[in-house]
Amino acid sequence: MIKIKLNIMLLVVGSFILVCCKSEKKQTEGSSSRINFDYLGIAVQKKYTHIWGSSPVLGKDGKVHLYVSEWPIPKDASERFSGWHKHCNIAHYVGDTPEGPFEFVRTAIKDQDGEFNSPHNPTIKYIDGQYVLCFIVNENNDLSKQRIMMYVADDLSDNWKPAKGAELDGTMLRVPSDTIVWNYEAVLGVSNPSLIKANDQYLLYYKSVVPLKEKTEKNKGRDYGYGVAISKNLQGPYDFYPKRVTEEGIQLEDAFAFNLGQEIAFLSRDYMAAKGSHAGGLLWRSSDGFSFPTENTTRAFEGLSAYVGEDNLKNANVFRGTKEGHLERPQLLMIDEKTIYLYLATGINTTPDFGSASHVFKVLIKNSTVK
């Protein structure tokens, strides 16, 4: 049986920093650890199709399995990138190594329209001997009706079943009705889940967008934050923790949760460019998993142009974001105690007839103690 551990203990004075570079080797000042963050290339792309995000898991067959969102590039240009919440399916790809190449296996979760519309943003974990697939759906293209699903399986043949503690269709979280919960007035449902096990309980993190009292041109009257739901059982049910876990004033999307030594950490999109450009992402750290202080939040990665060069993207087709190559949907895979792979999505592509794509990076930790 193969187990994946995302529990990284680094001997770093000050803070944990992902050093984002392609070939240059940088040393964190005052530390005994060095982290190289190297771009390897496109993980998944598909002709006439948008690929969005790749969540990896190491299968019992020793291969790397990716679960990705995909939908056709629209013929009507006015639809732009909106197919993610209208026509999306979750597809299963497999590769012999984390670097690929990855081949299409099958459509794992199909769009059923209606109340089970456009399954999107999958994240997969192997926990307690089971594969757990979380994702979002909406109702009839209505983003205010987004909700979080949880499916489980003993293998990766895609015979997924709703988690025991979920609703019959697999719904695990909806917008809470209890007014003491921070996001009971959420305007875009609950979305973008990330599941971990910590301290003998299961933490299901989620995004919510809540209204702001003061609307500006920048914030559009909305605040993007993260909360958590808790269970003593992997398959739920999950109860909402009433407080928001990220602070107001620094907004994020696409948080991927993982154990970082004795802490819990997020990798996320820097949604409102709090610590750099919109194209990159952030690293969040928490001592207990219920509060991620802004003071512990650092820049984690940059846009795609930082790794491949601006000249290599000047003729790219832009489907989402800018030619800086916004990197979103971070998902981690650990192969051994010192080798980690990071998968990120971007809305640009230099190859004609191909839509948005998934990219893979390798994170090498040297001169460190990893547990």
Side-chain angles (χ1 to χ4, degrees):
M1 182 179 296
I2 299 172
K3 294 184 178 180
I4 299 172
K5 292 179 66 179
L6 291 173
N7 192 4
I8 312 165
M9 177 64 79
L10 300 172
L11 301 178
V12 180
V13 176
S15 63
F16 172 78
I17 300 175
L18 289 178
V19 181
C20 303
C21 57
K22 183 175 180 181
S23 58
E24 182 182 359
K25 307 301 181 182
K26 295 183 180 179
Q27 177 81 31
T28 302
E29 184 177 356
S31 76
S32 60
S33 297
R34 185 171 63 196
I35 303 169
N36 301 319
F37 189 32
D38 297 334
Y39 177 70
L40 299 177
I42 291 178
V44 180
Q45 64 176 354
K46 189 174 181 179
K47 202 168 189 178
Y48 308 127
T49 304
H50 284 307
I51 299 292
W52 195 246
S54 294
S55 187
V57 68
L58 191 62
K60 297 174 184 178
D61 56 4
K63 297 183 178 183
V64 176
H65 297 253
L66 298 181
Y67 283 79
V68 313
S69 302
E70 65 176 34
W71 66 96
I73 297 174
K75 295 180 179 179
D76 182 353
S78 66
E79 284 200 16
R80 299 175 62 83
F81 206 67
S82 65
W84 73 265
H85 69 268
K86 297 177 181 178
H87 318 297
C88 188
N89 294 306
I90 295 174
H92 180 176
Y93 287 75
V94 66
D96 291 331
T97 75
E99 301 176 18
F102 292 96
E103 299 294 333
F104 176 81
V105 177
R106 67 180 70 88
T107 299
I109 309 293
K110 296 181 179 180
D111 178 12
Q112 299 176 30
D113 294 319
E115 293 186 358
F116 193 99
N117 187 60
S118 203
H120 187 65
N121 279 357
T123 183
I124 188 166
K125 293 286 183 72
Y126 185 70
I127 302 175
D128 294 349
Q130 284 196 307
Y131 296 99
V132 186
L133 181 67
C134 297
F135 57 97
I136 61 174
V137 298
N138 65 66
E139 297 180 13
N140 300 305
N141 303 339
D142 184 353
L143 295 183
S144 71
K145 301 293 186 181
Q146 288 182 108
R147 65 188 192 272
I148 290 172
M149 317 297 290
M150 182 183 289
Y151 283 2
V152 297
D154 295 324
D155 56 42
L156 294 174
S157 60
D158 293 321
N159 293 316
W160 296 100
K161 297 179 180 179
K164 292 178 181 178
E167 298 175 28
L168 290 178
D169 67 351
T171 301
M172 187 59 79
L173 292 183
R174 297 178 181 268
V175 173
S177 57
D178 192 338
T179 58
I180 71 166
V181 182
W182 72 280
N183 63 322
Y184 79 97
E185 293 183 313
V187 296
L188 295 179
V190 290
S191 62
N192 298 3
S194 188
L195 176 68
I196 64 168
K197 182 178 182 180
N199 301 319
D200 296 320
Q201 59 185 352
Y202 303 90
L203 303 177
L204 181 58
Y205 291 97
Y206 63 88
K207 183 192 86 176
S208 266
V209 183
V210 294
L212 288 171
K213 292 180 181 179
E214 295 185 8
K215 181 179 180 180
T216 68
E217 184 176 347
K218 184 176 181 180
N219 67 36
K220 308 299 182 184
R222 294 178 172 184
D223 188 17
Y224 287 60
Y226 260 76
V228 67
I230 311 162
S231 180
K232 288 293 184 182
N233 302 300
L234 174 63
Q235 296 191 43
Y238 283 77
D239 296 319
F240 284 102
Y241 179 69
K243 297 181 180 179
R244 174 176 173 159
V245 301
T246 59
E247 297 180 4
E248 294 183 16
I250 179 169
Q251 301 194 37
L252 72 159
E253 270 201 314
D254 297 335
F256 178 87
F258 60 104
N259 298 101
L260 180 65
Q262 301 303 312
E263 297 180 320
I264 293 174
F266 286 168
L267 279 176
S268 81
R269 179 187 177 196
D270 189 350
Y271 181 65
M272 295 295 287
K275 294 183 179 292
S277 78
H278 292 277
L282 303 173
L283 175 74
W284 306 68
R285 293 164 48 219
S286 171
S287 61
D288 59 7
F290 298 99
S291 176
F292 292 79
T294 299
E295 63 195 40
N296 290 346
T297 304
T298 55
R299 191 72 168 176
F301 55 86
E302 301 304 324
L304 186 62
S305 62
Y307 308 102
V308 303
E310 294 181 0
D311 286 346
N312 289 320
L313 298 179
K314 63 183 180 181
N315 295 319
N317 290 317
V318 179
F319 303 102
R320 175 180 169 91
T322 68
K323 286 192 177 181
E324 192 176 355
H326 293 198
L327 289 174
E328 307 181 38
R329 295 296 304 158
Q331 301 280 301
L332 288 171
L333 173 67
M334 189 166 186
I335 297 302
D336 57 37
E337 291 186 339
K338 292 187 178 181
T339 307
I340 306 167
Y341 290 85
L342 173 64
Y343 297 82
L344 290 156
T346 189
I348 66 175
N349 203 322
T350 58
T351 307
D353 298 326
F354 285 76
S356 58
S358 169
H359 298 255
V360 59
F361 298 75
K362 191 172 185 179
V363 183
L364 297 176
I365 304 171
K366 297 185 178 182
N367 304 321
S368 62
T369 301
V370 180
K371 296 183 179 179

